[in-house]
PDB file of all heavy atoms in Angstrom:
ATOM      1  N   ILE A   1      33.094 -95.595   9.062  1.00 92.00           N
ATOM      2  CA  ILE A   1      33.004 -97.054   9.088  1.00 92.00           C
ATOM      3  C   ILE A   1      33.010 -97.629   7.672  1.00 92.00           C
ATOM      4  O   ILE A   1      33.457 -98.755   7.444  1.00 92.00           O
ATOM      5  CB  ILE A   1      31.740 -97.507   9.867  1.00 92.00           C
ATOM      6  CG1 ILE A   1      31.902 -98.954  10.316  1.00 92.00           C
ATOM      7  CG2 ILE A   1      30.484 -97.322   9.039  1.00 92.00           C
ATOM      8  CD1 ILE A   1      30.844 -99.415  11.295  1.00 92.00           C
ATOM      9  N   THR A   2      32.534 -96.852   6.695  1.00 92.00           N
ATOM     10  CA  THR A   2      32.562 -97.317   5.305  1.00 92.00           C
ATOM     11  C   THR A   2      33.974 -97.272   4.744  1.00 92.00           C
ATOM     12  O   THR A   2      34.386 -98.161   3.995  1.00 92.00           O
ATOM     13  CB  THR A   2      31.640 -96.445   4.438  1.00 92.00           C
ATOM     14  OG1 THR A   2      30.317 -96.460   4.980  1.00 92.00           O
ATOM     15  CG2 THR A   2      31.589 -96.960   2.999  1.00 92.00           C
ATOM     16  N   PHE A   3      34.724 -96.260   5.117  1.00 92.00           N
ATOM     17  CA  PHE A   3      36.061 -96.047   4.565  1.00 92.00           C
ATOM     18  C   PHE A   3      37.120 -96.876   5.284  1.00 92.00           C
ATOM     19  O   PHE A   3      37.986 -97.491   4.647  1.00 92.00           O
ATOM     20  CB  PHE A   3      36.389 -94.560   4.642  1.00 92.00           C
ATOM     21  CG  PHE A   3      37.723 -94.185   4.050  1.00 92.00           C
ATOM     22  CD1 PHE A   3      38.269 -94.879   2.982  1.00 92.00           C
ATOM     23  CD2 PHE A   3      38.430 -93.112   4.561  1.00 92.00           C
ATOM     24  CE1 PHE A   3      39.501 -94.530   2.434  1.00 92.00           C
ATOM     25  CE2 PHE A   3      39.651 -92.738   4.019  1.00 92.00           C
ATOM     26  CZ  PHE A   3      40.191 -93.447   2.961  1.00 92.00           C
ATOM     27  N   VAL A   4      37.081 -96.906   6.606  1.00 92.00           N
ATOM     28  CA  VAL A   4      38.167 -97.546   7.357  1.00 92.00           C
ATOM     29  C   VAL A   4      37.701 -98.694   8.242  1.00 92.00           C
ATOM     30  O   VAL A   4      38.472 -99.209   9.057  1.00 92.00           O
ATOM     31  CB  VAL A   4      38.920 -96.502   8.215  1.00 92.00           C
ATOM     32  CG1 VAL A   4      39.567 -95.463   7.330  1.00 92.00           C
ATOM     33  CG2 VAL A   4      37.979 -95.843   9.219  1.00 92.00           C
ATOM     34  N   SER A   5      36.425 -99.075   8.121  1.00 90.00           N
ATOM     35  CA  SER A   5      35.877-100.186   8.885  1.00 90.00           C
ATOM     36  C   SER A   5      35.827 -99.844  10.387  1.00 90.00           C
ATOM     37  O   SER A   5      35.869 -98.682  10.776  1.00 90.00           O
ATOM     38  CB  SER A   5      36.686-101.466   8.638  1.00 90.00           C
ATOM     39  OG  SER A   5      36.045-102.587   9.203  1.00 90.00           O
ATOM     40  N   ASN A   6      35.755-100.871  11.220  1.00 89.00           N
ATOM     41  CA  ASN A   6      35.585-100.699  12.662  1.00 89.00           C
ATOM     42  C   ASN A   6      36.585-101.591  13.383  1.00 89.00           C
ATOM     43  O   ASN A   6      36.231-102.634  13.928  1.00 89.00           O
ATOM     44  CB  ASN A   6      34.139-101.047  13.046  1.00 89.00           C
ATOM     45  CG  ASN A   6      33.843-100.814  14.502  1.00 89.00           C
ATOM     46  OD1 ASN A   6      34.618-100.193  15.229  1.00 89.00           O
ATOM     47  ND2 ASN A   6      32.712-101.333  14.965  1.00 89.00           N
ATOM     48  N   ILE A   7      37.832-101.184  13.377  1.00 88.00           N
ATOM     49  CA  ILE A   7      38.926-101.993  13.911  1.00 88.00           C
ATOM     50  C   ILE A   7      39.299-101.488  15.302  1.00 88.00           C
ATOM     51  O   ILE A   7      39.782-100.353  15.440  1.00 88.00           O
ATOM     52  CB  ILE A   7      40.157-101.936  12.995  1.00 88.00           C
ATOM     53  CG1 ILE A   7      39.768-102.321  11.559  1.00 88.00           C
ATOM     54  CG2 ILE A   7      41.260-102.842  13.519  1.00 88.00           C
ATOM     55  CD1 ILE A   7      40.868-102.104  10.552  1.00 88.00           C
ATOM     56  N   PRO A   8      39.098-102.283  16.354  1.00 87.00           N
ATOM     57  CA  PRO A   8      39.431-101.837  17.718  1.00 87.00           C
ATOM     58  C   PRO A   8      40.899-101.421  17.836  1.00 87.00           C
ATOM     59  O   PRO A   8      41.798-102.125  17.365  1.00 87.00           O
ATOM     60  CB  PRO A   8      39.141-103.075  18.577  1.00 87.00           C
ATOM     61  CG  PRO A   8      38.109-103.832  17.788  1.00 87.00           C
ATOM     62  CD  PRO A   8      38.475-103.622  16.344  1.00 87.00           C
ATOM     63  N   GLY A   9      41.110-100.264  18.424  1.00 85.00           N
ATOM     64  CA  GLY A   9      42.459 -99.768  18.632  1.00 85.00           C
ATOM     65  C   GLY A   9      43.059 -99.064  17.441  1.00 85.00           C
ATOM     66  O   GLY A   9      44.110 -98.428  17.566  1.00 85.00           O
ATOM     67  N   GLU A  10      42.417 -99.149  16.278  1.00 89.00           N
ATOM     68  CA  GLU A  10      42.966 -98.524  15.068  1.00 89.00           C
ATOM     69  C   GLU A  10      41.977 -97.537  14.447  1.00 89.00           C
ATOM     70  O   GLU A  10      42.339 -96.400  14.160  1.00 89.00           O
ATOM     71  CB  GLU A  10      43.326 -99.589  14.030  1.00 89.00           C
ATOM     72  CG  GLU A  10      43.913 -99.043  12.736  1.00 89.00           C
ATOM     73  CD  GLU A  10      45.252 -98.372  12.938  1.00 89.00           C
ATOM     74  OE1 GLU A  10      46.029 -98.850  13.801  1.00 89.00           O
ATOM     75  OE2 GLU A  10      45.546 -97.386  12.241  1.00 89.00           O
ATOM     76  N   THR A  11      40.747 -97.972  14.249  1.00 89.00           N
ATOM     77  CA  THR A  11      39.756 -97.081  13.632  1.00 89.00           C
ATOM     78  C   THR A  11      38.443 -97.027  14.415  1.00 89.00           C
ATOM     79  O   THR A  11      37.501 -96.379  13.976  1.00 89.00           O
ATOM     80  CB  THR A  11      39.439 -97.530  12.191  1.00 89.00           C
ATOM     81  OG1 THR A  11      38.809 -98.817  12.216  1.00 89.00           O
ATOM     82  CG2 THR A  11      40.701 -97.585  11.347  1.00 89.00           C
ATOM     83  N   GLN A  12      38.378 -97.714  15.550  1.00 90.00           N
ATOM     84  CA  GLN A  12      37.128 -97.743  16.320  1.00 90.00           C
ATOM     85  C   GLN A  12      37.012 -96.503  17.196  1.00 90.00           C
ATOM     86  O   GLN A  12      37.560 -96.415  18.278  1.00 90.00           O
ATOM     87  CB  GLN A  12      37.041 -98.996  17.189  1.00 90.00           C
ATOM     88  CG  GLN A  12      35.675 -99.187  17.835  1.00 90.00           C
ATOM     89  CD  GLN A  12      35.591-100.462  18.639  1.00 90.00           C
ATOM     90  OE1 GLN A  12      36.078-100.524  19.762  1.00 90.00           O
ATOM     91  NE2 GLN A  12      34.986-101.495  18.072  1.00 90.00           N
ATOM     92  N   THR A  13      36.274 -95.521  16.702  1.00 90.00           N
ATOM     93  CA  THR A  13      36.047 -94.284  17.438  1.00 90.00           C
ATOM     94  C   THR A  13      34.851 -94.452  18.373  1.00 90.00           C
ATOM     95  O   THR A  13      34.277 -95.545  18.471  1.00 90.00           O
ATOM     96  CB  THR A  13      35.784 -93.128  16.464  1.00 90.00           C
ATOM     97  OG1 THR A  13      34.640 -93.464  15.652  1.00 90.00           O
ATOM     98  CG2 THR A  13      36.989 -92.901  15.556  1.00 90.00           C
ATOM     99  N   LEU A  14      34.471 -93.375  19.050  1.00 89.00           N
ATOM    100  CA  LEU A  14      33.338 -93.455  19.973  1.00 89.00           C
ATOM    101  C   LEU A  14      32.073 -93.945  19.277  1.00 89.00           C
ATOM    102  O   LEU A  14      31.372 -94.832  19.778  1.00 89.00           O
ATOM    103  CB  LEU A  14      33.081 -92.070  20.592  1.00 89.00           C
ATOM    104  CG  LEU A  14      33.864 -91.699  21.846  1.00 89.00           C
ATOM    105  CD1 LEU A  14      33.542 -90.273  22.243  1.00 89.00           C
ATOM    106  CD2 LEU A  14      33.550 -92.651  22.982  1.00 89.00           C
ATOM    107  N   ALA A  15      31.772 -93.353  18.133  1.00 90.00           N
ATOM    108  CA  ALA A  15      30.549 -93.730  17.419  1.00 90.00           C
ATOM    109  C   ALA A  15      30.584 -95.194  16.996  1.00 90.00           C
ATOM    110  O   ALA A  15      29.583 -95.913  17.112  1.00 90.00           O
ATOM    111  CB  ALA A  15      30.369 -92.829  16.203  1.00 90.00           C
ATOM    112  N   SER A  16      31.729 -95.637  16.502  1.00 91.00           N
ATOM    113  CA  SER A  16      31.860 -97.041  16.088  1.00 91.00           C
ATOM    114  C   SER A  16      31.756 -97.984  17.273  1.00 91.00           C
ATOM    115  O   SER A  16      31.171 -99.066  17.176  1.00 91.00           O
ATOM    116  CB  SER A  16      33.192 -97.247  15.370  1.00 91.00           C
ATOM    117  OG  SER A  16      33.299 -96.422  14.230  1.00 91.00           O
ATOM    118  N   ALA A  17      32.333 -97.570  18.404  1.00 89.00           N
ATOM    119  CA  ALA A  17      32.266 -98.409  19.600  1.00 89.00           C
ATOM    120  C   ALA A  17      30.829 -98.527  20.102  1.00 89.00           C
ATOM    121  O   ALA A  17      30.400 -99.609  20.525  1.00 89.00           O
ATOM    122  CB  ALA A  17      33.162 -97.828  20.693  1.00 89.00           C
ATOM    123  N   ILE A  18      30.085 -97.427  20.051  1.00 90.00           N
ATOM    124  CA  ILE A  18      28.676 -97.475  20.463  1.00 90.00           C
ATOM    125  C   ILE A  18      27.910 -98.445  19.576  1.00 90.00           C
ATOM    126  O   ILE A  18      27.116 -99.264  20.055  1.00 90.00           O
ATOM    127  CB  ILE A  18      28.049 -96.064  20.387  1.00 90.00           C
ATOM    128  CG1 ILE A  18      28.666 -95.159  21.458  1.00 90.00           C
ATOM    129  CG2 ILE A  18      26.534 -96.140  20.570  1.00 90.00           C
ATOM    130  CD1 ILE A  18      28.249 -93.714  21.339  1.00 90.00           C
ATOM    131  N   TYR A  19      28.151 -98.367  18.285  1.00 89.00           N
ATOM    132  CA  TYR A  19      27.484 -99.284  17.343  1.00 89.00           C
ATOM    133  C   TYR A  19      27.835-100.741  17.670  1.00 89.00           C
ATOM    134  O   TYR A  19      26.964-101.615  17.662  1.00 89.00           O
ATOM    135  CB  TYR A  19      27.906 -98.946  15.923  1.00 89.00           C
ATOM    136  CG  TYR A  19      27.408 -99.930  14.893  1.00 89.00           C
ATOM    137  CD1 TYR A  19      26.085 -99.909  14.458  1.00 89.00           C
ATOM    138  CD2 TYR A  19      28.267-100.896  14.359  1.00 89.00           C
ATOM    139  CE1 TYR A  19      25.623-100.818  13.520  1.00 89.00           C
ATOM    140  CE2 TYR A  19      27.808-101.810  13.420  1.00 89.00           C
ATOM    141  CZ  TYR A  19      26.493-101.764  13.011  1.00 89.00           C
ATOM    142  OH  TYR A  19      26.046-102.668  12.084  1.00 89.00           O
ATOM    143  N   THR A  20      29.098-100.983  17.971  1.00 89.00           N
ATOM    144  CA  THR A  20      29.538-102.342  18.287  1.00 89.00           C
ATOM    145  C   THR A  20      28.835-102.872  19.529  1.00 89.00           C
ATOM    146  O   THR A  20      28.350-104.015  19.556  1.00 89.00           O
ATOM    147  CB  THR A  20      31.055-102.373  18.504  1.00 89.00           C
ATOM    148  OG1 THR A  20      31.716-101.970  17.305  1.00 89.00           O
ATOM    149  CG2 THR A  20      31.524-103.777  18.882  1.00 89.00           C
ATOM    150  N   TYR A  21      28.772-102.038  20.568  1.00 87.00           N
ATOM    151  CA  TYR A  21      28.158-102.479  21.820  1.00 87.00           C
ATOM    152  C   TYR A  21      26.657-102.728  21.676  1.00 87.00           C
ATOM    153  O   TYR A  21      26.098-103.553  22.397  1.00 87.00           O
ATOM    154  CB  TYR A  21      28.409-101.459  22.934  1.00 87.00           C
ATOM    155  CG  TYR A  21      29.825-101.474  23.451  1.00 87.00           C
ATOM    156  CD1 TYR A  21      30.574-100.305  23.532  1.00 87.00           C
ATOM    157  CD2 TYR A  21      30.420-102.662  23.873  1.00 87.00           C
ATOM    158  CE1 TYR A  21      31.882-100.310  24.003  1.00 87.00           C
ATOM    159  CE2 TYR A  21      31.719-102.685  24.346  1.00 87.00           C
ATOM    160  CZ  TYR A  21      32.455-101.503  24.411  1.00 87.00           C
ATOM    161  OH  TYR A  21      33.750-101.522  24.880  1.00 87.00           O
ATOM    162  N   THR A  22      26.015-102.016  20.765  1.00 89.00           N
ATOM    163  CA  THR A  22      24.580-102.251  20.562  1.00 89.00           C
ATOM    164  C   THR A  22      24.307-103.562  19.825  1.00 89.00           C
ATOM    165  O   THR A  22      23.170-104.037  19.799  1.00 89.00           O
ATOM    166  CB  THR A  22      23.935-101.103  19.767  1.00 89.00           C
ATOM    167  OG1 THR A  22      24.560-101.003  18.476  1.00 89.00           O
ATOM    168  CG2 THR A  22      24.076 -99.787  20.505  1.00 89.00           C
ATOM    169  N   GLN A  23      25.345-104.132  19.233  1.00 87.00           N
ATOM    170  CA  GLN A  23      25.185-105.362  18.456  1.00 87.00           C
ATOM    171  C   GLN A  23      25.538-106.620  19.246  1.00 87.00           C
ATOM    172  O   GLN A  23      25.363-107.734  18.744  1.00 87.00           O
ATOM    173  CB  GLN A  23      26.063-105.308  17.193  1.00 87.00           C
ATOM    174  CG  GLN A  23      25.799-104.115  16.292  1.00 87.00           C
ATOM    175  CD  GLN A  23      24.368-104.067  15.819  1.00 87.00           C
ATOM    176  OE1 GLN A  23      23.851-105.023  15.259  1.00 87.00           O
ATOM    177  NE2 GLN A  23      23.714-102.924  16.046  1.00 87.00           N
ATOM    178  N   VAL A  24      26.057-106.455  20.474  1.00 84.00           N
ATOM    179  CA  VAL A  24      26.448-107.636  21.259  1.00 84.00           C
ATOM    180  C   VAL A  24      25.565-107.737  22.497  1.00 84.00           C
ATOM    181  O   VAL A  24      25.147-106.723  23.072  1.00 84.00           O
ATOM    182  CB  VAL A  24      27.935-107.539  21.678  1.00 84.00           C
ATOM    183  CG1 VAL A  24      28.828-107.514  20.457  1.00 84.00           C
ATOM    184  CG2 VAL A  24      28.181-106.316  22.546  1.00 84.00           C
TER     185      VAL A  24
END
C-alpha cells in the first residue's frame, strides 16, 4: 500500500480490500 497505493482493480489485493472495508 505504501509503494502502489490501494487502487481498486489495479493494486487492491485481499489485504488492501480488507483494510478498505474496515474504514467504511
